Amino acid sequence: YIMILVSKYTAIRQQVRGHLLEVLSIYTNENKLLPFALASVWVRKSKETCKVLYISEVAFKAAKVYGISASVIASQLVSHFCDCNENFMLKAVAGLIYIEVAPNAIAGCLQSVVEQHRFLALPHSHTPTLPHSDTPSFLIQYAHARCCSLLRLARHEGLISFDQPLQIPWLDSQGKFRFNSHESQRLIATSVEIIDDLVCIDVRSPIYWHSKALNLAMALECFWRHTRIWGEVKNQPELVSAYIGLIVVTQQILRLLLEEKLNSAARLEI
């Protein structure tokens, strides 16, 4: 299941690194410098909880190799990067390269997860005993079950159909997300971070993935508490569809983490 989900798309962190490698290659060729060690080119997600923002320190590593100021290298790399890709907004600050991802690229990542979704009917057999309600494991199970409940309701109300591939209207006519609340942006950023980790790193520790799943469950709880998902059905049906798409993404990731990383059944109801 995990390979089916993550093999169908490229994580955003992977896209950013790939474009950074291309730009670095252009820079070294133009300046007649020796090729740079690819293993040294990496990006990390910033600690901002509501932005899909990455930081690269590659200019500092290149400065040591080429004897050129890190600030100069960073500025030139940013200039090349902006010329060849409009899905990323870059700036160089004191030698660091900050890469903010445009809504179009984020929406593409989310849509690739949505397209792997399959509707889950309620189980008819005995389901495993739940962990105690005051434990973190319960919160993760509860978040997954809530996603399933919301998706069943959306299907029952005719707001979405799972009989064909879902096409979510993530962006408005100006290319911006239809939702821009702090809570929705936090849920998106948390989801993208976990997708990045699933694709880009090899961590087997259940403790690590439990922490990631709990972060996602808490982001979902915050989103649910502050969002009137069904309140705009008549006035803004596209917004409701986008909300449902975000629930689908969250459910997919929680299920994957529970079943593949935490060795636990993903409950469909509680």
Side-chain angles (χ1 to χ4, degrees):
Y1 178 76
I2 183 171
M3 291 311 299
I4 292 175
L5 181 60
V6 303
S7 65
K8 297 297 183 180
Y9 57 81
T10 303
I12 292 179
R13 189 193 305 170
Q14 209 170 36
Q15 294 180 44
V16 171
R17 181 175 183 268
H19 288 300
L20 197 56
L21 286 170
E22 291 178 13
V23 168
L24 190 58
S25 176
I26 294 172
Y27 171 79
T28 55
N29 287 335
E30 287 186 351
N31 291 276
K32 299 180 180 180
L33 300 171
L34 293 174
F36 195 70
L38 301 185
S40 300
V41 182
W42 201 244
V43 294
R44 57 183 170 85
K45 188 180 181 302
S46 78
K47 294 182 179 180
E48 293 194 44
T49 58
C50 297
K51 276 187 178 181
V52 181
L53 176 67
Y54 299 90
I55 303 172
S56 174
E57 301 173 1
V58 67
F60 288 99
K61 296 180 179 180
K64 292 180 180 179
V65 175
Y66 302 131
I68 304 172
S69 164
S71 295
V72 171
I73 294 176
S75 296
Q76 292 180 346
L77 290 178
V78 165
S79 177
H80 284 303
F81 206 117
C82 293
D83 288 342
C84 68
N85 200 301
E86 55 187 31
N87 282 333
F88 305 101
M89 297 158 283
L90 284 79
K91 64 179 179 179
V93 180
L96 291 174
I97 299 175
Y98 291 81
I99 307 151
E100 186 171 355
V101 184
N104 183 59
I106 300 172
C109 177
L110 299 178
Q111 182 62 33
S112 67
V113 177
V114 167
E115 290 173 358
Q116 307 307 310
H117 181 270
R118 58 188 178 85
F119 185 75
L120 302 172
L122 279 173
H124 298 290
S125 58
H126 172 71
T127 53
T129 303
L130 271 174
H132 197 273
S133 61
D134 61 357
T135 65
S137 296
F138 174 84
L139 297 177
I140 299 169
Q141 291 282 5
Y142 182 77
H144 181 267
R146 170 168 282 180
C147 287
C148 293
S149 175
L150 291 171
L151 295 179
R152 286 194 298 271
L153 179 59
R155 187 191 198 194
H156 178 75
E157 295 294 328
L159 299 176
I160 199 165
S161 172
F162 296 103
D163 297 329
Q164 55 190 1
L166 299 177
Q167 292 297 323
I168 305 298
W170 299 104
L171 308 179
D172 61 19
S173 59
Q174 296 181 330
K176 297 180 180 179
F177 274 107
R178 295 184 183 277
F179 36 69
N180 57 8
S181 67
H182 174 93
E183 294 78 20
S184 61
Q185 294 303 312
R186 176 186 172 187
L187 187 54
I188 288 173
T190 304
S191 299
V192 168
E193 181 177 0
I194 295 175
I195 292 169
D196 281 344
D197 284 351
L198 288 167
V199 176
C200 300
I201 66 174
D202 183 16
V203 176
R204 299 184 181 182
S205 168
I207 296 175
Y208 179 86
W209 295 111
H210 191 279
S211 173
K212 292 293 183 179
L214 185 59
N215 286 345
L216 185 58
M218 294 172 66
L220 174 69
E221 174 61 26
C222 189
F223 171 77
W224 167 252
R225 194 165 58 243
H226 292 90
T227 305
R228 296 173 64 245
I229 295 180
W230 314 122
E232 304 294 342
V233 172
K234 293 183 179 179
N235 298 327
Q236 301 185 66
E238 294 88 358
L239 176 60
V240 175
S241 295
Y243 281 149
I244 294 172
L246 197 48
I247 297 299
V248 171
V249 170
T250 306
Q251 184 267 327
Q252 283 281 83
I253 296 173
L254 285 172
R255 181 187 174 202
L256 187 153
L257 292 175
L258 283 165
E259 295 183 346
E260 301 293 338
K261 297 297 186 180
L262 302 177
N263 194 28
S264 175
R267 293 181 62 96
L268 308 183
E269 63 176 354
I270 291 180

